[in-house]
């Protein structure tokens, strides 16, 4: 066989391959947006009682990160009841799960959070995030199957957002390694946070956060008889806290440093041998957060030097700043208008809070919206009064309206290549 014949035989499809392509073309059926919305809204509304009970059960049983066993069981049982096959304990995390439906085409991932805060319950409203995400998955997946839409939709349970970095661990384990057209979720916010008649936000922007524990080790001694033979780790912690307090005067207004002394000693007549602190260091971008972290560590090291103690660090997953995807945000604003919601496109100035969804926004095109719930005027998140607000019927209804909008956004991404391409371009070019 000649070289030309060889190349020809390799590059020319066989007749049976050609006929297979003709017999099985991938064709996206065209549907009116009104028909799609109707399918999504109906699927969600038909499960309204179940969804309210799911929300209530998670709210009254708050669990901290990686210990969300009741929430995990509640969410997976709901999916099983609706005939979804569950990947349990997904990606090596005991309280993570995954379910998927559809075939071919693009992939949309809907992220669910469900952890609470120690002592103050769902003061960040993650019961509402779980509800809105599971409802969005239900609505979109039923539409995908019922209308023969080419594409896949996946629900991913993401534990431990409150400092535990669940999504960071999921990223490292490969949960987002597939070619994903969009990862979608939304967060509740106090309604008084929105001005000018807005009832939600499409483009959340949040800052980066380093999280670490700092351990000082000294030398014990009798505090009354021979304090000179000791090295006081409590003095190191107090000195470090004071150093940080002085540093705060010289940081930028959009940066934050905050921490606690978790372990400060045992009894007053023994020089403290060991102390541990827990700090968050936040800045609008990961680069600036790295620079601020270097300055903060000098405060800890100066305290160790002054007291003769040693210092060591235990790092938690770093949360990167959350990037708003303009293409996805614009589409969400448009689709929520059909539900009578006036949604703000995006914030120009990032809020001084952080989320592990920021790390996802650096891995795939991501949407992280916000929906308004009634809360007292002087209350935002991480407050017991916000936890109470997150359990109300009004908050649930807001979460359900958001779920419908997210489901329609997911449909748009699956079926509109121009939108998917625009979201990918925004992701790839945004600094």
């Amino acid at each position: 066989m000649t070289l030309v014949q060889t190349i020809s035989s390799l590059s020319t499809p066989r007749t049976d391959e050609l006929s297979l392509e003709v017999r099985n073309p991938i064709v996206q059926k065209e549907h009116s947006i009104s028909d799609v919305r109707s399918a999504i809204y109906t699927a969600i509304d038909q499960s309204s009682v179940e969804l309210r009970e799911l929300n209530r059960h998670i709210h009254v049983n708050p669990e901290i990160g990686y210990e969300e066993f009741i929430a995990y069981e509640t969410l997976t049982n709901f999916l099983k009841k609706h005939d979804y096959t569950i990947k349990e304990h997904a990606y090596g995390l005991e309280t993570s799960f995954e379910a998927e439906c559809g075939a071919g085409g693009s992939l949309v991932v809907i992220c669910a959070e469900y952890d609470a805060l120690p002592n103050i319950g769902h003061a960040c409203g993650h019961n509402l995030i779980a509800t809105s995400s599971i409802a969005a998955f239900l609505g979109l997946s039923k539409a995908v199957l019922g209308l023969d839409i080419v594409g896949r939709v996946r629900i991913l349970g993401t534990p431990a957002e409150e400092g535990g970095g669940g999504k960071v661990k999921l990223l490292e384990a490969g949960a987002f390694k597939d070619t994903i057209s969009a990862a979608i979720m939304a967060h509740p916010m106090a309604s008084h946070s929105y001005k000018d008649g807005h009832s939600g936000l499409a483009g959340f922007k949040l800052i980066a956060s380093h999280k670490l524990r700092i351990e000082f080790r000294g030398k014990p001694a009798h505090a009354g008889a021979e304090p000179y033979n000791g090295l006081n780790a409590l003095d190191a912690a107090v000195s470090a806290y004071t150093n940080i307090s002085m540093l705060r005067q010289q940081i930028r207004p959009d940066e934050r440093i905050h921490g606690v002394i978790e372990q400060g000693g045992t009894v007053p007549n023994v020089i403290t041998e060991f102390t541990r602190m827990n700090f968050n260091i936040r800045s609008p971008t990961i680069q600036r957060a790295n620079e601020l972290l270097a300055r903060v560590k000098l405060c800890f090291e100066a305290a160790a030097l002054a007291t003769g103690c040693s210092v060591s660090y235990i790092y938690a997953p770093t949360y990167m700043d959350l990037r708003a995807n303009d293409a996805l945000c614009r589409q969400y604003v448009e689709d929520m208008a059909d539900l009578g919601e006036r949604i703000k496109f995006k914030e120009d100035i990032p809020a001084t809070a952080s989320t592990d969804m920021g790390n996802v926004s650096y891995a795939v095109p991501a949407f992280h919206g916000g929906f308004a719930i009634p809360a007292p005027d002087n209350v935002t998140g991480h407050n017991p009064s916000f936890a109470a607000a997150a359990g109300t019927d009004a908050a649930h209804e807001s979460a359900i309206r958001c779920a419908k909008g997210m489901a329609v956004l997911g449909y748009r991404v699956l079926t509109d290549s121009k939108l998917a391409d625009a979201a990918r371009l925004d992701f790839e070019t945004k600094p």
Side-chain angles (χ1 to χ4, degrees):
M1 181 180 289
T2 67
L3 179 60
V4 173
Q5 289 173 321
T6 301
I7 293 174
S8 176
S9 66
L10 291 173
S11 60
T12 304
R14 300 193 312 271
T15 303
D16 60 337
E17 289 177 337
L18 286 173
S19 61
L20 181 63
E21 291 176 4
V22 172
R23 287 196 305 269
N24 299 295
I26 298 176
V27 177
Q28 188 72 262
K29 291 185 177 180
E30 293 188 9
H31 300 281
S32 71
I33 190 59
S34 60
D35 287 343
V36 173
R37 284 174 174 151
S38 178
I40 288 172
Y41 298 174
T42 298
I44 294 174
D45 290 341
Q46 286 176 343
S47 295
S48 60
V49 174
E50 289 179 85
L51 289 167
R52 184 66 186 101
E53 181 54 35
L54 175 147
N55 183 356
R56 185 180 294 108
H57 195 60
I58 294 174
H59 182 263
V60 300
N61 293 284
E63 302 162 296
I64 62 172
Y66 299 119
E67 297 180 15
E68 313 98 324
F69 303 114
I70 294 173
Y72 172 89
E73 183 179 14
T74 302
L75 294 163
T76 54
N77 282 347
F78 176 91
L79 292 169
K80 290 173 184 176
K81 183 178 179 180
H82 287 267
D83 298 323
Y84 295 100
T85 300
I86 311 298
K87 180 181 179 181
E88 300 198 46
H89 317 301
Y91 303 99
L93 300 184
E94 191 172 5
T95 53
S96 177
F97 63 88
E98 187 177 81
E100 183 176 310
C101 82
S106 300
L107 170 62
V108 165
V109 176
I110 300 173
C111 298
E113 297 174 5
Y114 32 88
D115 61 321
L117 289 156
N119 304 318
I120 56 174
H122 279 290
C124 212
H126 290 190
N127 60 299
L128 296 169
I129 296 176
T131 303
S132 62
S133 293
I134 208 82
F137 172 74
L138 178 71
L140 179 55
S141 62
K142 296 293 186 184
V144 165
L145 296 176
L147 299 175
D148 292 328
I149 294 168
V150 177
R152 293 166 292 148
V153 55
R154 177 185 298 168
I155 183 77
L156 177 64
T158 64
E161 188 276 339
E162 294 290 354
K167 294 185 193 66
V168 180
K169 293 185 178 182
L170 287 166
L171 278 161
E172 292 170 349
F176 295 89
K177 68 178 175 56
D178 295 331
T179 301
I180 297 169
S181 295
I184 296 172
M185 64 166 289
H187 198 293
M189 296 291 290
S191 55
H192 60 75
S193 301
Y194 299 107
K195 309 300 181 185
D196 303 323
H198 290 108
S199 58
L201 171 67
F204 241 139
K205 295 171 107 178
L206 300 176
I207 63 178
S209 176
H210 285 297
K211 301 172 177 64
L212 70 160
R213 284 180 165 85
I214 306 92
E215 295 185 340
F216 292 104
R217 286 178 170 81
K219 179 183 176 184
H222 194 295
E226 49 176 14
Y228 43 83
N229 282 330
L231 298 173
N232 199 321
L234 179 57
D235 283 347
V238 171
S239 177
Y241 197 95
T242 303
N243 292 343
I244 296 294
S245 295
M246 290 188 289
L247 176 61
R248 286 193 187 104
Q249 299 176 74
Q250 268 68 56
I251 65 174
R252 300 183 186 186
D254 54 1
E255 296 178 328
R256 297 289 186 271
I257 309 169
H258 43 98
V260 296
I261 299 176
E262 290 185 330
Q263 191 168 330
T266 53
V267 293
N269 63 342
V270 176
I271 297 296
T272 300
E273 180 182 15
F274 173 81
T275 54
R276 184 174 64 230
M277 310 178 80
N278 191 352
F279 266 82
N280 288 1
I281 298 96
R282 306 182 195 250
S283 196
T285 66
I286 191 62
Q287 179 180 348
R288 282 179 55 189
N290 291 341
E291 294 168 357
L292 184 58
L293 175 63
R295 297 173 68 191
V296 169
K297 288 176 70 176
L298 290 175
C299 293
F300 298 128
E301 288 155 18
L305 182 64
T307 58
C309 295
S310 65
V311 61
S312 59
Y313 304 104
I314 302 171
Y315 294 95
T318 294
Y319 287 10
M320 301 180 76
D321 48 297
L322 177 64
R323 304 193 301 171
N325 188 292
D326 290 356
L328 298 177
C329 290
R330 286 194 188 94
Q331 188 60 62
Y332 179 77
V333 170
E334 177 183 318
D335 286 318
M336 286 298 286
D338 180 69
L339 291 158
E341 301 290 319
R342 187 163 178 255
I343 305 299
K344 185 174 182 178
F345 171 47
K346 67 178 179 180
E347 293 281 13
D348 295 323
I349 300 173
T352 49
S354 308
T355 176
D356 55 6
M357 191 67 175
N359 300 58
V360 176
S361 77
Y362 273 85
V364 300
F367 172 85
H368 187 300
F371 55 93
I373 68 169
D377 287 343
N378 61 340
V379 169
T380 54
H382 291 214
N383 183 299
S385 295
F386 193 87
T392 63
D393 289 342
H396 176 77
E397 290 305 317
S398 183
I400 292 300
R401 288 192 296 274
C402 175
K404 292 176 178 178
M406 290 194 296
V408 175
L409 174 63
Y411 163 77
R412 301 274 199 185
V413 173
L414 291 180
T415 60
D416 185 346
S417 60
K418 290 183 179 179
L419 174 61
D421 290 346
R424 174 61 60 174
L425 179 63
D426 185 284
F427 163 74
E428 292 176 347
T429 58
K430 191 177 292 293

